[in-house]
Amino acid sequence: GLKFVMPQAFAAVDCANIEEGRNVVSFDLTAESADLPILGGSTYKAMTFSGQVPGPTLRVTQGDVVQMTLTIPDSEPTPHGNDMHASQMSAGNFGKVMPGESKTYCYVAEVPGTFKYHCSGVDVAAMDQHVLSGMYGITIVDPINGYKSLLLEKTKVDGDKTVKARQTVSADALEFQLQYNQLYLTEDGGYDQSAMFQHHATLNVVNGISFGYVPNAAHNKLIKGDENK
Protein backbone atom coordinates (compact mmCIF):
# COMPACT_ATOMS: atom_id res chain seq x y z
CA GLY A 1 0.00 0.00 0.00
CA LEU A 2 3.01 2.30 0.01
CA LYS A 3 3.15 4.96 -2.65
CA PHE A 4 6.52 6.48 -3.50
CA VAL A 5 6.45 10.03 -4.77
CA MET A 6 9.49 11.89 -6.11
CA PRO A 7 10.00 15.00 -3.97
CA GLN A 8 9.67 18.36 -5.61
CA ALA A 9 12.43 20.95 -5.44
CA PHE A 10 11.90 21.40 -1.70
CA ALA A 11 14.83 23.78 -1.38
CA ALA A 12 13.57 26.24 -4.00
CA VAL A 13 12.64 29.67 -2.65
CA ASP A 14 10.81 32.63 -4.16
CA CYS A 15 13.44 35.37 -3.95
CA ALA A 16 10.70 37.96 -3.42
CA ASN A 17 9.20 36.08 -0.46
CA ILE A 18 12.07 34.77 1.66
CA GLU A 19 11.03 33.52 5.08
CA GLU A 20 11.61 36.13 7.79
CA GLY A 21 14.63 35.37 9.95
CA ARG A 22 16.52 33.43 7.28
CA ASN A 23 20.12 34.51 6.70
CA VAL A 24 20.55 35.42 3.02
CA VAL A 25 23.94 34.97 1.34
CA SER A 26 24.33 36.68 -2.04
CA PHE A 27 26.56 34.91 -4.55
CA ASP A 28 27.16 36.95 -7.70
CA LEU A 29 28.89 35.26 -10.62
CA THR A 30 29.87 36.49 -14.07
CA ALA A 31 30.31 33.99 -16.90
CA GLU A 32 33.20 35.22 -19.00
CA SER A 33 35.80 33.91 -21.43
CA ALA A 34 39.48 34.39 -20.60
CA ASP A 35 42.91 33.37 -21.82
CA LEU A 36 44.51 31.65 -18.84
CA PRO A 37 48.17 30.61 -18.49
CA ILE A 38 49.65 27.17 -18.86
CA LEU A 39 52.94 26.39 -17.13
CA GLY A 40 55.66 26.92 -19.72
CA GLY A 41 54.32 30.18 -21.14
CA SER A 42 51.37 29.39 -23.40
CA THR A 43 47.66 29.98 -22.72
CA TYR A 44 44.37 28.22 -23.24
CA LYS A 45 40.92 29.57 -24.09
CA ALA A 46 39.01 29.18 -20.83
CA MET A 47 35.35 29.64 -19.96
CA THR A 48 35.13 30.87 -16.37
CA PHE A 49 32.96 31.98 -13.52
CA SER A 50 34.13 35.48 -12.54
CA GLY A 51 37.39 35.18 -14.46
CA GLN A 52 38.93 32.33 -12.48
CA VAL A 53 39.28 28.54 -12.55
CA PRO A 54 37.90 27.06 -10.40
CA GLY A 55 35.15 29.60 -9.74
CA PRO A 56 34.80 31.37 -6.37
CA THR A 57 34.04 29.08 -3.43
CA LEU A 58 30.67 29.65 -1.73
CA ARG A 59 30.57 28.83 1.98
CA VAL A 60 27.30 29.00 3.92
CA THR A 61 25.64 27.45 6.97
CA GLN A 62 22.86 24.89 6.77
CA GLY A 63 19.55 26.75 6.66
CA ASP A 64 20.94 29.84 4.92
CA VAL A 65 19.24 31.09 1.78
CA VAL A 66 21.62 31.34 -1.17
CA GLN A 67 20.71 34.08 -3.63
CA MET A 68 22.75 33.34 -6.74
CA THR A 69 22.89 35.79 -9.63
CA LEU A 70 24.55 34.86 -12.91
CA THR A 71 25.43 37.65 -15.34
CA ILE A 72 26.53 37.11 -18.95
CA PRO A 73 28.39 40.02 -20.60
CA ASP A 74 27.32 41.16 -24.07
CA SER A 75 30.68 40.02 -25.42
CA GLU A 76 30.13 36.34 -24.58
CA PRO A 77 29.50 34.20 -27.69
CA THR A 78 27.16 31.71 -26.00
CA PRO A 79 24.57 31.50 -23.19
CA HIS A 80 25.53 29.88 -19.89
CA GLY A 81 23.77 28.36 -16.90
CA ASN A 82 24.61 27.24 -13.38
CA ASP A 83 23.77 23.89 -11.83
CA MET A 84 24.37 24.27 -8.06
CA HIS A 85 24.24 20.77 -6.59
CA ALA A 86 23.86 22.20 -3.07
CA SER A 87 20.41 23.45 -4.12
CA GLN A 88 19.08 19.86 -4.18
CA MET A 89 17.04 20.68 -7.26
CA SER A 90 17.24 20.30 -11.01
CA ALA A 91 19.17 22.83 -13.07
CA GLY A 92 15.99 23.09 -15.12
CA ASN A 93 14.67 25.42 -12.43
CA PHE A 94 17.30 27.97 -13.47
CA GLY A 95 17.74 27.37 -17.19
CA LYS A 96 20.04 29.38 -19.43
CA VAL A 97 21.07 33.03 -19.36
CA MET A 98 21.64 34.83 -22.65
CA PRO A 99 24.55 37.22 -23.37
CA GLY A 100 23.74 40.68 -22.05
CA GLU A 101 21.36 39.34 -19.40
CA SER A 102 21.33 38.42 -15.70
CA LYS A 103 19.22 35.92 -13.80
CA THR A 104 18.76 35.22 -10.08
CA TYR A 105 17.42 32.27 -8.16
CA CYS A 106 17.25 31.39 -4.48
CA TYR A 107 17.38 28.17 -2.51
CA VAL A 108 17.73 26.99 1.08
CA ALA A 109 21.01 25.17 1.74
CA GLU A 110 19.20 22.26 3.38
CA VAL A 111 21.90 19.58 3.35
CA PRO A 112 25.38 19.99 4.86
CA GLY A 113 28.35 18.85 2.83
CA THR A 114 30.58 19.80 -0.08
CA PHE A 115 28.96 20.22 -3.49
CA LYS A 116 30.04 21.09 -7.00
CA TYR A 117 28.50 23.80 -9.14
CA HIS A 118 29.05 24.07 -12.89
CA CYS A 119 27.64 25.44 -16.11
CA SER A 120 24.49 23.46 -16.79
CA GLY A 121 23.38 21.81 -20.00
CA VAL A 122 19.82 23.17 -19.88
CA ASP A 123 19.27 24.72 -23.34
CA VAL A 124 23.05 25.17 -23.62
CA ALA A 125 24.90 23.35 -26.39
CA ALA A 126 28.19 21.56 -25.66
CA MET A 127 28.00 21.64 -21.85
CA ASP A 128 31.13 19.47 -21.82
CA GLN A 129 33.08 22.32 -23.42
CA HIS A 130 31.89 24.82 -20.81
CA VAL A 131 32.68 22.62 -17.79
CA LEU A 132 35.95 21.19 -19.08
CA SER A 133 37.08 24.67 -20.11
CA GLY A 134 36.81 25.86 -16.51
CA MET A 135 33.20 26.59 -15.54
CA TYR A 136 33.05 24.78 -12.19
CA GLY A 137 33.42 25.57 -8.50
CA ILE A 138 32.58 24.37 -4.98
CA THR A 139 29.90 25.13 -2.39
CA ILE A 140 30.54 24.24 1.27
CA VAL A 141 27.47 23.95 3.51
CA ASP A 142 28.52 23.83 7.17
CA PRO A 143 26.14 21.95 9.54
CA ILE A 144 23.95 24.28 11.59
CA ASN A 145 25.17 22.77 14.88
CA GLY A 146 28.81 22.86 13.85
CA TYR A 147 31.23 19.99 13.58
CA LYS A 148 31.85 17.42 16.31
CA SER A 149 35.22 17.51 18.01
CA LEU A 150 37.62 14.70 17.16
CA LEU A 151 38.56 12.29 19.94
CA LEU A 152 42.14 11.01 19.64
CA GLU A 153 43.73 8.26 21.69
CA LYS A 154 47.50 8.41 22.06
CA THR A 155 49.79 5.76 23.50
CA LYS A 156 53.18 6.39 25.05
CA VAL A 157 55.66 4.27 26.97
CA ASP A 158 56.66 5.51 30.43
CA GLY A 159 59.36 3.21 31.79
CA ASP A 160 57.80 -0.25 31.96
CA LYS A 161 54.29 1.10 31.64
CA THR A 162 52.19 1.79 28.59
CA VAL A 163 50.04 4.84 29.13
CA LYS A 164 47.04 5.69 27.00
CA ALA A 165 45.72 9.21 26.94
CA ARG A 166 42.66 10.63 25.23
CA GLN A 167 42.64 14.08 23.72
CA THR A 168 39.81 16.04 22.20
CA VAL A 169 40.74 18.12 19.16
CA SER A 170 38.66 21.07 18.03
CA ALA A 171 36.81 20.72 14.75
CA ASP A 172 38.06 24.16 13.71
CA ALA A 173 40.65 23.74 10.97
CA LEU A 174 42.25 25.62 8.14
CA GLU A 175 40.29 25.40 4.91
CA PHE A 176 42.14 24.34 1.81
CA GLN A 177 41.03 23.77 -1.74
CA LEU A 178 41.97 20.91 -4.02
CA GLN A 179 40.15 20.82 -7.33
CA TYR A 180 41.21 18.74 -10.29
CA ASN A 181 40.22 18.83 -13.92
CA GLN A 182 41.57 17.80 -17.30
CA LEU A 183 41.81 19.83 -20.49
CA TYR A 184 41.40 18.59 -24.03
CA LEU A 185 42.94 21.23 -26.26
CA THR A 186 43.82 21.90 -29.87
CA GLU A 187 47.26 23.26 -30.71
CA ASP A 188 45.99 26.85 -30.43
CA GLY A 189 44.47 26.26 -26.97
CA GLY A 190 40.85 25.72 -27.99
CA TYR A 191 38.56 22.92 -26.81
CA ASP A 192 38.91 19.61 -28.68
CA GLN A 193 35.72 17.57 -28.23
CA SER A 194 36.99 14.60 -30.23
CA ALA A 195 40.00 14.32 -27.89
CA MET A 196 37.62 14.41 -24.91
CA PHE A 197 35.52 11.54 -26.30
CA GLN A 198 38.71 9.50 -26.69
CA HIS A 199 39.96 10.48 -23.20
CA HIS A 200 43.07 12.03 -24.75
CA ALA A 201 43.73 14.74 -22.17
CA THR A 202 46.44 17.28 -23.00
CA LEU A 203 46.75 18.99 -19.61
CA ASN A 204 45.92 18.48 -15.96
CA VAL A 205 44.54 21.38 -13.92
CA VAL A 206 44.87 21.54 -10.13
CA ASN A 207 43.46 24.64 -8.39
CA GLY A 208 43.50 26.51 -11.67
CA ILE A 209 47.15 25.76 -12.51
CA SER A 210 47.58 23.85 -15.76
CA PHE A 211 50.55 21.59 -16.36
CA GLY A 212 51.60 18.94 -18.83
CA TYR A 213 49.93 15.56 -18.98
CA VAL A 214 51.91 12.35 -19.47
CA PRO A 215 49.78 9.47 -20.81
CA ASN A 216 50.06 6.24 -18.83
CA ALA A 217 51.53 4.34 -21.76
CA ALA A 218 54.35 6.86 -22.25
CA HIS A 219 55.03 6.94 -18.51
CA ASN A 220 55.13 3.14 -18.27
CA LYS A 221 57.46 2.83 -21.25
CA LEU A 222 59.84 5.45 -19.84
CA ILE A 223 59.87 4.20 -16.25
CA LYS A 224 59.18 0.46 -16.63
CA GLY A 225 60.36 -0.18 -20.18
CA ASP A 226 56.95 -1.55 -21.19
CA GLU A 227 53.96 0.65 -22.02
CA ASN A 228 51.53 -2.14 -21.03
CA LYS A 229 52.72 -2.49 -17.42
Side-chain angles (χ1 to χ4, degrees):
L2 293 177
K3 182 179 180 181
F4 292 96
V5 179
M6 288 296 291
Q8 298 300 312
F10 63 88
V13 171
D14 180 358
C15 293
N17 295 287
I18 296 174
E19 182 183 358
E20 187 176 352
R22 291 275 189 184
N23 182 49
V24 180
V25 179
S26 295
F27 190 51
D28 298 328
L29 296 171
T30 302
E32 54 190 276
S33 300
D35 290 335
L36 297 184
I38 297 171
L39 288 183
S42 60
T43 61
Y44 73 97
K45 296 176 175 61
M47 292 183 174
T48 76
F49 284 116
S50 300
Q52 65 183 68
V53 177
T57 297
L58 169 64
R59 190 164 190 173
V60 298
T61 299
Q62 185 183 10
D64 286 349
V65 171
V66 175
Q67 181 173 287
M68 192 282 294
T69 300
L70 179 62
T71 300
I72 316 296
D74 288 326
S75 57
E76 276 299 297
T78 67
H80 295 288
N82 189 8
D83 185 354
M84 301 198 77
H85 292 203
S87 71
Q88 305 294 305
M89 60 185 179
S90 166
N93 290 274
F94 184 68
K96 67 179 179 181
V97 186
M98 298 300 294
E101 297 181 358
S102 293
K103 191 173 182 180
T104 299
Y105 84 136
C106 296
Y107 66 89
V108 178
E110 295 270 6
V111 181
T114 302
F115 304 89
K116 186 175 184 178
Y117 69 84
H118 58 88
C119 187
S120 72
V122 179
D123 299 324
V124 176
M127 180 188 72
D128 55 303
Q129 176 184 9
H130 296 214
V131 177
L132 292 172
S133 294
M135 298 193 78
Y136 58 90
I138 288 291
T139 299
I140 301 170
V141 181
D142 295 316
I144 193 168
N145 294 321
Y147 296 93
K148 293 182 179 179
S149 298
L150 178 64
L151 181 63
L152 298 179
E153 186 174 88
K154 296 184 177 181
T155 302
K156 68 177 181 178
V157 177
D158 185 5
D160 59 351
K161 296 181 180 179
T162 300
V163 180
K164 291 186 177 181
R166 290 187 172 184
Q167 178 183 1
T168 301
V169 180
S170 171
D172 293 334
L174 293 175
E175 177 187 328
F176 70 95
Q177 178 172 266
L178 180 61
Q179 293 195 42
Y180 171 83
N181 200 356
Q182 290 180 310
L183 296 179
Y184 304 86
L185 303 178
T186 61
E187 290 186 2
D188 65 352
Y191 176 67
D192 188 338
Q193 189 180 64
S194 63
M196 185 275 294
F197 284 137
Q198 298 176 69
H199 302 293
H200 291 170
T202 54
L203 290 172
N204 290 326
V205 183
V206 176
N207 288 357
I209 300 176
S210 306
F211 53 90
Y213 174 84
V214 180
N216 287 340
H219 177 271
N220 291 344
K221 186 174 182 179
L222 177 66
I223 302 301
K224 301 178 181 179
D226 185 344
E227 64 182 26
N228 295 315
K229 288 186 177 179

